[in-house]
Amino acid sequence: MLLKKYVKTRRKVKILLLVTIVALIVITCIILLGSSGAPNSATIERLLDERFIARAYQPQSEQLQLQQPREQAVALLQSHRENGVIVPEKYDEQKIKSRIMQNRLQQAKQQQQKDAEAEQARTTVEALATAVHIFYTAPVPWYKSKKPPLPPPEHPNEVALPLTTPRPVKILNTAFYPALGLYKPTVKLLSQHMDNIRSCGIGVIILSFVRPSDPALLHQIIDLAPQHNLSVTFELSVAGNRTLAFVRQQLQDIAAYVELPGFYRVWSQSRATLLPVLYVSNAYKLSESLGRHLCRPTVQELAEQQQVPGEIGELRRVLDAFFIGHIRLKSHADVLRRLCFDGFYSKLPSNGAVFASTWKNWSYLKSYALSYKMLFVPTVGPGFAERNKFPRHGDIQRHRSNGRYYGVAWRTAILNHVGFINIASYNNWPDGSQIEEVVPRAGFLDYNPGSRTKYLDLTAHWVGNFLKTRQEAAAAAAGAPQNCYELLNNTIC
């Protein structure tokens, strides 16, 4: 109505619109000039927003320790401007590469600092578990020999005959690279290894006794073990030679070490004496005729042997020990029972490879051992990475899965309430089952994500859980008759 009253012609309408547009332009110019001349008015909100973003993305450690000025954080977020207009940064490939390298170097330094802090704050177990044994290799066979291929013949119908015998090529036989390098056993290195084993709560080291062994090295390890509150036992192998004379000779050689203070012995309630514990690899391959020499004679047979020495218990007279044999299949447990072994162990830390190493079968093996007053010792390991194109045991590679594989093996053994556990291994690098420290290196596997002592820490954690479970089981069975798996204090049936 007002427009019809005061604006009666089109010409007046156009003039009114033009005046309005000019007024809006003038007001806009005044606002822009005022904002550029007064920085404390319109830029306050923008500065507040940028300061909030800088504070949100700044690490908390820098906020507490460095206390950088807020103006510096805002300056880092502000883009380059000319006359209030953002000028895009020019693409410079060299700058971007240098920036990426600086970021990677900074991340590497932070990771090294975290690893150093993790090593200083390692998980340790104060109590010692003599029921937890670990396989130890000394010396480690770092290299394997490989025959070089024959040169191709010059003509297709000729047969390539080498003029000289080609020398075998040495190849590094490990999928991981040790943090201490390709070491040889020295007193300092053995002490360091024993400190690591002791800090995990492990009480017994298992050494491979293969003839010809290095007697000086074996004596050195056995003499050094008590200084670190550790004991040593042997694993003898009967894979290549299973004759009675060979087994007797091995037991005679081991008898020279048994009386040393560092050798592992347990108290047998049924025999009322201290007995050394011996592992026998490939024991299932022994013939049943040899079992008569390993069985203990009865009272009547002892009386007969006093008059005429017989073959029953002949090996026990050479060395009376608590023999634990290696099994693979379900029927091997019965074979060792007939051979008069005191127990059996699985040895291979590869779940599903054979019956004895399969976790779900450990409950059956423990029940079988209890029914015949034997001992079942499961073998746990962090994984298996044998670096062979054609593995000697078949396809038994097992990935570590960031420690989860190791945890499931330990949890299964603990839930079955076994009395003894052995670990494969501390430093069996050719099989890739070691828990020793590694260092990241091109072409080799490592323990990432995690520190170089990752599996030592995991071992200490699970040994602590195993000790706690055994003590709880012994407390719950107080006053009731205990079985062989609930006896503590280095005692067996």
Side-chain angles (χ1 to χ4, degrees):
M1 299 296 294
L2 291 173
L3 288 174
K4 289 182 180 180
K5 183 177 180 180
Y6 294 103
V7 184
K8 295 182 179 181
T9 61
R10 286 185 178 180
R11 187 164 174 266
K12 290 183 179 180
V13 172
K14 291 180 180 180
I15 293 171
L16 181 62
L17 291 174
L18 184 61
V19 171
T20 305
I21 291 170
V22 171
L24 291 173
I25 292 172
V26 171
I27 293 170
T28 304
C29 292
I30 292 171
I31 292 172
L32 290 175
L33 291 174
S35 63
S36 62
N40 295 327
S41 58
T43 56
I44 293 176
E45 294 182 0
R46 178 173 57 82
L47 286 172
L48 287 175
D49 292 340
E50 291 180 350
R51 286 173 181 172
F52 172 76
I53 295 171
R55 191 164 56 251
Y57 283 93
Q58 188 179 7
Q60 186 176 3
S61 60
E62 294 182 5
Q63 293 179 18
L64 297 176
Q65 298 175 3
L66 302 178
Q67 294 294 332
Q68 294 180 350
R70 294 182 180 180
E71 290 78 9
Q72 294 181 6
V74 173
L76 290 173
L77 292 174
Q78 286 180 345
S79 302
H80 181 61
R81 297 171 183 262
E82 290 183 1
N83 298 327
V85 180
I86 296 176
V87 178
E89 183 180 357
K90 292 182 180 180
Y91 177 75
D92 191 343
E93 186 176 359
Q94 197 66 26
K95 272 187 180 180
I96 293 174
K97 286 183 178 179
S98 63
R99 189 184 303 167
I100 292 173
M101 290 301 296
Q102 288 176 0
N103 291 338
R104 287 182 178 176
L105 287 173
Q106 189 176 2
Q107 290 176 1
K109 288 180 181 178
Q110 292 175 355
Q111 186 64 34
Q112 288 179 357
Q113 186 177 1
K114 289 180 181 178
D115 292 347
E117 292 175 356
E119 288 181 5
Q120 292 177 0
R122 273 196 51 204
T123 305
T124 58
V125 179
E126 296 298 330
L128 189 68
T130 55
V132 180
H133 308 168
I134 190 166
F135 288 93
Y136 185 83
T137 306
V140 179
W142 295 111
Y143 295 94
K144 63 179 179 179
S145 299
K146 182 180 180 182
K147 294 181 179 180
L150 296 175
E154 296 181 358
H155 301 285
N157 295 329
E158 292 182 355
V159 179
L161 295 175
L163 298 177
T164 59
T165 304
R167 294 182 178 180
V169 181
K170 286 187 176 181
I171 301 174
L172 189 59
N173 190 24
T174 173
F176 298 82
Y177 198 85
L180 300 177
L182 306 180
Y183 53 78
K184 293 182 179 179
T186 60
V187 175
K188 182 179 179 182
L189 181 109
L190 292 172
S191 298
Q192 184 176 351
H193 284 179
M194 289 183 183
D195 283 338
N196 290 338
I197 293 173
R198 174 64 186 85
S199 65
C200 293
I202 301 169
V204 181
I205 296 174
I206 306 172
L207 292 177
S208 178
F209 189 86
V210 181
R211 299 182 64 206
S213 298
D214 186 358
L217 180 60
L218 294 179
H219 273 283
Q220 189 178 36
I221 295 174
I222 296 176
D223 292 340
L224 197 62
Q227 301 177 18
H228 301 270
N229 202 11
L230 295 174
S231 302
V232 178
T233 186
F234 289 148
E235 181 194 40
L236 58 96
S237 178
V238 292
N241 192 340
R242 297 184 291 274
T243 62
L244 175 63
F246 176 78
V247 176
R248 186 192 300 113
Q249 184 61 45
Q250 279 200 317
L251 293 179
Q252 289 174 354
D253 295 340
I254 293 174
Y257 300 93
V258 167
E259 299 301 327
L260 295 176
F263 205 89
Y264 177 59
R265 287 173 291 181
V266 294
W267 175 261
S268 174
Q269 284 189 340
S270 59
R271 302 169 212 172
T273 183
L274 281 172
L275 291 178
V277 175
L278 291 178
Y279 289 88
V280 182
S281 178
N282 298 293
Y284 57 88
K285 294 182 179 180
L286 293 172
S287 62
E288 291 192 14
S289 61
L290 192 134
R292 291 179 298 175
H293 301 272
L294 197 62
C295 290
R296 289 186 179 82
T298 60
V299 178
Q300 183 179 358
E301 290 171 344
L302 281 173
E304 294 175 357
Q305 287 182 5
Q306 287 178 358
Q307 300 175 359
V308 180
E311 61 180 12
I312 299 177
E314 179 185 355
L315 296 178
R316 297 280 181 178
R317 291 195 295 271
V318 175
L319 178 62
D320 192 10
F322 195 86
F323 292 99
I324 304 176
H326 166 213
I327 65 170
R328 296 179 75 241
L329 304 180
K330 184 178 181 180
S331 59
H332 291 166
D334 190 58
V335 171
L336 294 193
R337 179 185 64 83
R338 294 197 301 270
L339 288 173
C340 297
F341 273 79
D342 301 293
F344 45 86
Y345 69 109
S346 53
K347 185 178 180 177
L348 189 63
S350 184
N351 178 41
V354 293
F355 181 87
S357 67
T358 304
W359 299 333
K360 65 180 181 181
N361 298 330
W362 288 355
S363 176
Y364 166 80
L365 292 174
K366 181 203 166 181
S367 301
Y368 182 90
L370 276 177
S371 60
Y372 290 100
K373 296 182 179 180
M374 299 174 71
L375 191 69
F376 169 57
V377 184
T379 302
V380 301
F384 201 88
E386 192 179 20
R387 199 171 193 176
N388 286 334
K389 187 176 181 181
F390 301 102
R392 62 181 184 271
H393 298 300
D395 186 15
I396 57 174
Q397 310 291 331
R398 297 295 180 267
H399 296 288
R400 299 189 172 223
S401 302
N402 196 22
R404 289 190 293 272
Y405 180 89
Y406 196 34
V408 174
W410 268 102
R411 196 177 297 111
T412 307
I414 292 173
L415 289 176
N416 280 298
H417 297 284
V418 295
F420 289 80
I421 295 177
N422 57 37
I423 304 171
S425 61
Y426 181 80
N427 62 341
N428 192 346
W429 295 92
D431 284 349
S433 61
Q434 79 290 335
I435 63 171
E436 192 183 356
E437 302 99 320
V438 302
V439 62
R441 189 161 179 170
F444 294 89
L445 302 175
D446 52 42
Y447 296 164
N448 288 330
S451 65
R452 50 199 278 181
T453 61
K454 176 178 183 174
Y455 286 93
L456 291 174
D457 297 336
L458 287 175
T459 303
H461 167 76
W462 286 112
V463 170
N465 285 352
F466 173 67
L467 285 173
K468 182 180 176 182
T469 306
R470 286 198 73 194
Q471 291 169 357
E472 291 176 352
Q482 295 180 330
N483 59 42
C484 296
Y485 293 95
E486 294 169 350
L487 295 174
L488 300 175
N489 301 323
N490 213 21
T491 305
I492 58 173
C493 295

